[in-house]
Amino acid sequence: MAVKVKPGGKVVGILLLLGAIYAGKVLWWDKRPQEAKASAVIGSVALPDAPEASLKGNAAKLALPESIVSMNSGTKISWRVMAWNSQFALMYANGGPKTTKNSLIDKAKLQIELVRQDDCNKSIADMVKFAQEYKTNPNATGVFASFMGDGMPAFFAALAKELEPLGPDYQPIAFYTMGKSYGEDKLMGPVEWKRDPKTAIGKTVSGVLRDGDINILIKWAGDNGLRVNPDETTYDRNAINLVAANDFLDAGAKYIAGYKETRKLIIDGKKTSKDTTVGVDGVATWTPGDVNVAQKKGGLVNIASTREYASQMPNITITIKKFAYDHRTDIENLIIALAQAGDQVRSFSDAKAFAGDVSAKVYNEQNGAYWLKYYNGVEEKDVQGLTVPLGGSMAFNLNDAANTFGMGKDAIDRYKIVYSTFGDILVKMYPEIMSTYPVYTQIVDKSFLASVVANHPELLEGTAIQEKYAENITSEVSSKSYQIQFETGSSVIKANSHAVLDEILKSAVVAEGLKIGVYGHTDNIGNETANTKLSNERAEAVKNYLMGKGLPVSRIESKGYGSTKPVADNNTNDGRAQNRRVQIVLGS
């Protein structure tokens, strides 16, 4: 069932930058020795979203587009897209690889050709070529591109540098998001990793280096306080190690074939001359790589995915600033069409099936039923009898897009947090590759979306994607303790701990798929009844802080355990300090 998505597919990796790194919060491990890169702890919390019909009641079901190519005289656009189900809204709106009659794009008076392009480097070259041509020819066909938002810091860094000679008007901008990955990008590993993340220490994961799927691993590891060795040429028994794959299908193939390679050992942070042989214990991939693993060997389950880290991979659309400003009405009409399409795809099964059929034509792979199946996501038994979720993406309506860019009711700019979090990770982990990246306000232009939101309230009737949270956490994905400072004997949080709380908040926003457990703990000094009361009040204070920043009350549970769950020796000062902690658990 393998679909041969090209090697660069969905990898927001740039040749100059060796690709994008994204995940939660980065914590470097001690000092990096000259001989070897130090393993790193990266990542932090998570949040969710659940599918439901966005239009209800007497919602208008639109007629499906015709198959005849439109001959309208509107603005021409060539749009680079990866083979990715998060583009179902665009597929439906355009009606085919080229805009068809009576499609939403046709009604917007645009002529769009969708071109599959899985190689990000080629997309950069196409954008640069277009900008150069547009500077001398205002009638040139516009070029758009869509990519995973968490990889955009690296993509923009490379593209902005290439376009610098043309002047500030020809810099790239992001102006919309039409959907997101919602489970198909994932880390697969042995069942033990799910039961106890620490069993992944000293193990290996195969994946495309500096790709989004590897970064799901990095975030999951960081959420659990585990280190990741960023050097694929060495082996660190005290960290999770990476095995380089040529593409996401090769990542699974290495596991299936029992691939092995020789590595240099790292001991005490130093690369030694000693060799060891490593195999592949886990896989970072996306559909259909996960299908291949399940059907050809099995034995791996989903450890973490974009279902849990549900804000990590929005589909972000970009173009050149001057083209967008010269065609403001066209851009706004495009947003209107995509917003309507998102509602249709989410609400009506034949609209969704139609989008699958168009996807097969655009990607020139499989058939509509295949793309529809893995857009919806399924659970299947692997060859060893384990149940494995496969696939999963989501189309956005206008409310979803507004929520992504901070225009929703909670005012949380999810994409700003995603962009800056992953940009910072890339700079910290690979400073020799990428020393900086463009600031958010330089590359994200909300003016087009803001205009549509303000002038078309009728498009906001569609219900945004929402998550139904369990009352209590019964299954943990990760657990990590934080040293949050309170006033002595009090639940008043000290101001110097606000930065720690904000990091927890950011990580939660990046991964919108899990309930958050906030658990307070104390040392054993004093009366246990008083300790339990104080730990409960401190956990509640952290919960209230997160709620004050926009997280819903239904998403957070809090509890105090007093001194009943120590993690260190209460007979020492250091041990008691470790036991005075706030534990953040992510689960469902």
Side-chain angles (χ1 to χ4, degrees):
M1 204 178 237
V3 173
K4 292 187 178 180
V5 178
K6 295 178 182 179
K10 281 180 58 186
V11 181
V12 188
I14 292 96
L15 189 59
L16 293 175
L17 306 176
L18 300 183
I21 290 287
Y22 47 95
K25 174 176 171 275
V26 178
L27 298 175
W28 282 103
W29 178 254
D30 295 336
K31 297 181 179 179
R32 296 175 59 199
Q34 289 184 334
E35 298 90 344
K37 292 184 177 180
S39 301
V41 174
I42 309 167
S44 234
V45 192
L47 235 147
D49 281 339
E52 62 177 15
S54 56
L55 296 177
K56 299 178 181 179
N58 297 319
K61 180 179 177 180
L62 302 179
L64 295 177
E66 299 179 29
S67 59
I68 303 171
V69 174
S70 170
M71 300 302 291
N72 73 59
S73 58
T75 301
K76 294 182 179 180
I77 295 168
S78 180
W79 198 322
R80 307 297 187 265
V81 295
M82 295 173 286
W84 185 14
N85 277 325
S86 65
Q87 292 152 162
F88 256 41
L90 176 59
M91 300 299 153
Y92 173 88
N94 208 46
K98 293 184 178 180
T99 302
T100 64
K101 290 185 65 175
N102 294 320
S103 66
L104 290 170
I105 297 297
D106 184 34
K107 294 173 183 177
K109 301 301 180 187
L110 295 169
Q111 289 191 62
I112 296 178
E113 180 178 10
L114 303 179
V115 179
R116 175 175 172 174
Q117 179 52 269
D118 298 329
D119 189 327
C120 298
N121 301 305
K122 291 181 180 178
S123 291
I124 288 178
D126 289 344
M127 293 288 287
V128 172
K129 182 179 179 181
F130 161 61
Q132 292 169 339
E133 183 180 359
Y134 190 67
K135 189 160 188 176
T136 58
N137 178 17
N139 295 316
T141 298
V143 174
F144 290 3
S146 294
F147 297 99
M148 290 185 291
D150 43 355
M152 292 305 289
F155 184 87
F156 271 118
L159 183 54
K161 184 176 182 181
E162 291 291 321
L163 293 173
E164 201 171 75
L166 299 178
D169 288 345
Y170 292 86
Q171 284 291 297
I173 60 168
F175 64 86
Y176 192 64
T177 175
M178 71 179 84
K180 68 178 180 179
S181 174
Y182 197 53
E184 68 172 286
D185 296 80
K186 64 191 61 176
L187 164 67
M188 304 178 76
V191 176
E192 308 87 75
W193 294 10
K194 203 169 187 70
R195 295 172 182 159
D196 180 7
K198 290 185 177 61
T199 60
I201 296 173
K203 305 300 182 181
T204 60
V205 173
S206 175
V208 181
L209 300 184
R210 292 162 290 276
D211 164 58
D213 300 319
I214 279 290
N215 292 317
I216 293 174
L217 156 69
I218 293 172
K219 176 165 174 49
W220 173 78
D223 285 345
N224 286 285
L226 310 178
R227 294 184 291 120
V228 175
N229 175 14
D231 183 357
E232 72 277 13
T233 68
T234 62
Y235 173 77
D236 186 344
R237 62 171 59 94
N238 296 312
I240 300 173
N241 297 272
L242 306 178
V243 174
N246 297 323
D247 55 61
F248 79 103
L249 292 176
D250 183 48
K254 279 182 163 55
Y255 168 75
I256 294 165
Y259 173 84
K260 295 184 183 300
E261 66 183 34
T262 301
R263 297 280 184 90
K264 294 297 182 183
L265 273 174
I266 289 180
I267 300 177
D268 296 328
K270 300 286 187 179
K271 183 191 293 186
T272 69
S273 60
K274 297 180 180 179
D275 289 336
T276 188
T277 300
V278 302
V280 175
D281 303 301
V283 177
T285 188
W286 68 81
T287 306
D290 54 353
V291 177
N292 292 343
V293 168
Q295 294 183 346
K296 296 182 180 180
K297 186 172 184 178
L300 302 183
V301 298
N302 284 11
I303 305 300
S305 75
T306 49
R307 179 59 186 83
E308 291 80 34
Y309 300 153
S311 288
Q312 184 170 329
M313 293 186 186
N315 186 310
I316 299 296
T317 295
I318 72 169
T319 190
I320 300 304
K321 181 178 180 180
K322 183 164 176 54
F323 181 87
Y325 275 66
D326 289 345
H327 297 84
R328 177 170 288 276
T329 299
D330 288 330
I331 298 293
E332 292 181 12
N333 286 340
L334 171 63
I335 290 173
I336 291 170
L338 291 174
Q340 289 177 301
D343 274 327
Q344 292 292 308
V345 166
R346 291 254 299 282
S347 301
F348 303 111
S349 58
D350 55 349
K352 190 187 296 184
F354 180 85
D357 289 338
V358 176
S359 296
K361 295 174 184 176
V362 172
Y363 306 146
N364 194 29
E365 295 281 357
Q366 294 285 337
N367 55 35
Y370 178 91
W371 294 103
L372 176 62
K373 177 181 180 179
Y374 291 114
Y375 169 89
N376 289 327
V378 296
E379 283 194 347
E380 296 180 347
K381 294 283 188 181
D382 74 4
V383 293
Q384 296 189 32
L386 296 175
T387 299
V388 185
L390 304 170
S393 281
M394 188 61 64
F396 280 173
N397 61 21
L398 191 62
N399 261 322
D400 297 313
N403 286 340
T404 299
F405 289 108
M407 301 178 194
K409 293 180 180 179
D410 61 14
I412 296 175
D413 191 332
R414 288 163 173 78
Y415 188 51
K416 182 177 182 180
I417 290 171
V418 167
Y419 181 84
S420 60
T421 296
F422 300 143
D424 289 347
I425 287 170
L426 185 61
V427 169
K428 290 176 181 178
M429 286 195 70
Y430 293 91
E432 69 278 12
I433 298 171
M434 181 173 153
S435 60
T436 188
Y437 61 96
V439 297
Y440 181 75
T441 53
Q442 177 184 332
I443 58 90
V444 173
D445 193 319
K446 302 181 186 181
S447 64
F448 306 94
L449 177 59
S451 177
V452 174
V453 168
N455 295 307
H456 294 275
E458 74 280 2
L459 296 178
L460 294 170
E461 294 178 4
T463 303
I465 299 168
Q466 297 176 347
E467 183 67 38
K468 302 297 189 295
Y469 296 102
E471 185 174 348
N472 301 110
I473 294 175
T474 58
S475 176
E476 293 185 10
V477 171
S478 62
S479 176
K480 188 173 182 178
S481 294
Y482 293 84
Q483 297 299 319
I484 297 171
Q485 302 299 314
F486 298 87
E487 298 293 342
T488 304
S490 165
S491 61
V492 176
I493 301 171
K494 289 186 176 181
N496 61 5
S497 283
H498 287 178
V500 176
L501 294 174
D502 288 341
E503 287 303 316
I504 294 173
L505 172 71
K506 290 176 182 178
S507 185
V509 170
V510 165
E512 267 187 302
L514 298 170
K515 193 177 181 80
I516 302 174
V518 182
Y519 307 133
H521 301 272
T522 68
D523 58 28
N524 66 348
I525 303 299
N527 179 272
E528 183 56 34
T529 300
N531 282 342
T532 301
K533 180 176 182 292
L534 180 60
S535 65
N536 190 67
E537 291 173 346
R538 287 179 169 177
E540 189 72 14
V542 172
K543 174 181 177 179
N544 289 337
Y545 184 93
L546 297 176
M547 287 170 53
K549 295 292 186 177
L551 298 189
V553 63
S554 62
R555 193 192 168 203
I556 312 172
E557 68 177 37
S558 65
K559 186 175 180 180
Y561 289 96
S563 63
T564 61
K565 294 188 175 184
V567 294
D569 186 356
N570 269 314
N571 293 316
T572 67
N573 289 333
D574 286 344
R576 287 191 293 272
Q578 291 181 56
N579 290 331
R580 295 189 297 270
R581 69 197 190 278
V582 173
Q583 181 186 14
I584 301 295
V585 169
L586 305 175
S588 57

